[in-house]
Amino acid sequence: SQTIHQWPATLVQPVGSPLSLECTVEGTSNPNLYWYRQAAGRGLQLLFYSIGIDQISSEVPQNLSASRPQDRQFILSSKKLLLSDSGFYLCAGHWGGIDTQYFGPGTRLTVL
Amino acid sequence: AQSVTQLGSHVSVSEGALVLLRCNYSSSVPPYLFWYVQYPNQGLQLLLKYTTGATLVKGINGFEAEFKKSETSFHLTKPSAHMSDAAEYFCAVSPNDYKLSFGAGTTVTVRA
């Protein structure tokens, strides 16, 4: 079965500090991977998606970047966090032949 | 491009009463449609999905949804609410390339 792991579960960071959130997946190889952000009182916004190693598409211009150094690893980063980067970050995976995305437990990021 | 509108950001129902969550979408092609549930500080869990075939879809926890192409709707219902149904619910649409577009979400509160 497909499982998505995310860490850390919660994170409090000062403005201007760097960020690295990690997502790892278990299951069949070569999934599509996604990073979403959920801001307070808002729906989910797709930030990045990846169809393979080192293949990243950005959906919205922002202060963040993503990398996929291995098939089952997807990393969300920032060099300098902004207050507006606060939110709940969700990693998701989609495997070919399965008509849905599976979500990880999320990381709650608070930027102070 | 696809978009999803969920009518009502908050819904309050009595335990045992009908739960009705509304979702309308716009899509240039016949879409895949999904309902996800999110409990506090957790990831999203798939409730049900429509891809093809029967337009009345049954999901987990007693929920069901009906795809009405003429109304571009995919409303979610449950005949009798339970306290454990208190959560946030998201409607999502995909144009078959597995990039989900989510609605803003509806928070359900269940009164004893």
Side-chain angles (χ1 to χ4, degrees):
Chain A
S1 64
Q2 288 72 26
T3 305
I4 312 282
H5 300 282
Q6 288 185 246
W7 64 87
T10 60
L11 189 61
V12 180
Q13 291 286 96
V15 169
S17 63
L19 172 74
S20 180
L21 301 182
E22 189 161 347
C23 169
T24 59
V25 304
E26 296 179 24
T28 309
S29 61
N30 199 32
N32 289 349
L33 297 176
Y34 307 81
W35 277 111
Y36 292 89
R37 177 170 58 201
Q38 186 178 19
R42 301 176 64 179
L44 283 82
Q45 179 185 33
L46 178 62
L47 303 176
F48 300 95
Y49 74 96
S50 170
I51 62 172
I53 296 173
D54 294 330
Q55 299 180 72
I56 311 292
S57 294
S58 175
E59 290 295 297
V60 288
Q62 62 217 319
N63 185 42
L64 302 169
S65 62
S67 62
R68 187 170 176 178
Q70 302 178 41
D71 179 53
R72 300 169 191 269
Q73 184 184 30
F74 200 28
I75 299 171
L76 183 69
S77 303
S78 174
K79 292 182 179 179
K80 290 186 177 181
L81 283 169
L82 305 172
L83 287 174
S84 57
D85 292 323
S86 293
F88 193 52
Y89 288 82
L90 289 160
C91 179
H94 172 266
W95 282 260
I98 303 175
D99 298 317
T100 189
Q101 291 183 16
Y102 292 88
F103 284 79
T107 294
R108 174 77 58 192
L109 172 65
T110 302
V111 182
L112 302 175
Chain B
Q2 294 73 40
S3 68
V4 180
T5 302
Q6 290 183 238
L7 297 177
S9 59
H10 290 86
V11 169
S12 180
V13 299
S14 298
E15 192 173 18
L18 171 72
V19 179
L20 170 61
L21 304 182
R22 299 179 186 274
C23 173
N24 289 88
Y25 68 91
S26 65
S27 176
S28 57
V29 297
Y32 286 179
L33 296 160
F34 306 83
W35 276 101
Y36 284 86
V37 61
Q38 184 182 33
Y39 299 100
N41 293 311
Q42 295 186 27
L44 275 67
Q45 179 182 6
L46 181 69
L47 275 178
L48 49 78
K49 64 183 179 184
Y50 169 79
T51 54
T52 59
T55 56
L56 182 62
V57 181
K58 295 187 182 299
I60 62 172
N61 302 339
F63 284 93
E64 63 182 34
E66 186 171 11
F67 169 54
K68 291 188 177 180
K69 184 177 179 180
S70 61
E71 299 178 6
T72 60
S73 68
F74 192 55
H75 302 331
L76 181 72
T77 61
K78 181 174 181 178
S80 177
H82 190 273
M83 297 299 289
S84 61
D85 295 326
E88 189 162 18
Y89 293 80
F90 292 93
C91 182
V93 59
S94 171
N96 302 341
D97 68 354
Y98 313 116
K99 288 169 58 178
L100 294 174
S101 295
F102 284 88
T106 298
T107 299
V108 172
T109 302
V110 182
R111 305 185 303 272

